[in-house]
Amino acid sequence: MTILNLTDNTYDKLVSEQDAVLVEFWAEWCTLCKQMKPILEEIDLAYAGKVTVAMVDAATETKVTEQMGVMSLPALFIYKKGELVGKVTGFVPKETLTGAINQLIP
């Protein structure tokens, strides 16, 4: 599996079509975002076929960033069947994310 890069035009379609989605809003200058990347890569690998992991560059995809009310980075959004079920701002350990994801999938 590969982490998807979402744009203003692809965000809504992806989160509405997948059963479980984890989206990170990030920026190149964001140190905590860089620390989250290996965690997201591990989650993407561990949950391949069960959870779609995606990223949105908040610096370039301003429409969806504003639409989602992102005020600080990293910002993580968790969706189940198109519905927003969780939101975390700032760095979080892998265990926190996997705990939230495990509640979404059978």
Side-chain angles (χ1 to χ4, degrees):
M1 213 66 204
T2 302
I3 296 176
L4 302 174
N5 290 304
L6 300 181
T7 67
D8 289 338
N9 296 325
T10 61
Y11 187 89
D12 289 335
K13 182 174 171 53
L14 178 94
V15 300
S16 65
E17 291 180 349
Q18 302 296 316
D19 284 339
V21 182
L22 172 63
V23 180
E24 179 197 26
F25 284 79
W26 69 282
E28 185 64 40
W29 50 263
C30 173
T31 304
L32 294 176
C33 298
K34 291 176 184 176
Q35 293 175 4
M36 284 299 307
K37 187 167 184 174
I39 293 171
L40 294 177
E41 290 170 346
E42 289 177 26
I43 288 173
D44 184 54
L45 190 59
Y47 291 91
K50 297 179 182 178
V51 176
T52 301
V53 179
M55 299 174 77
V56 176
D57 185 342
T60 60
E61 305 304 323
T62 55
K63 180 181 172 188
V64 71
T65 300
E66 184 177 309
Q67 173 188 326
M68 296 308 297
V70 175
M71 301 298 278
S72 61
L73 300 174
L76 298 145
F77 292 81
I78 302 170
Y79 292 88
K80 181 170 176 106
K81 298 187 187 261
E83 182 180 332
L84 181 63
V85 295
K87 178 181 175 184
V88 179
T89 301
F91 179 85
V92 291
K94 179 182 174 184
E95 295 74 25
T96 302
L97 286 177
T98 56
I101 291 168
N102 288 336
Q103 294 178 1
L104 295 179
I105 58 176

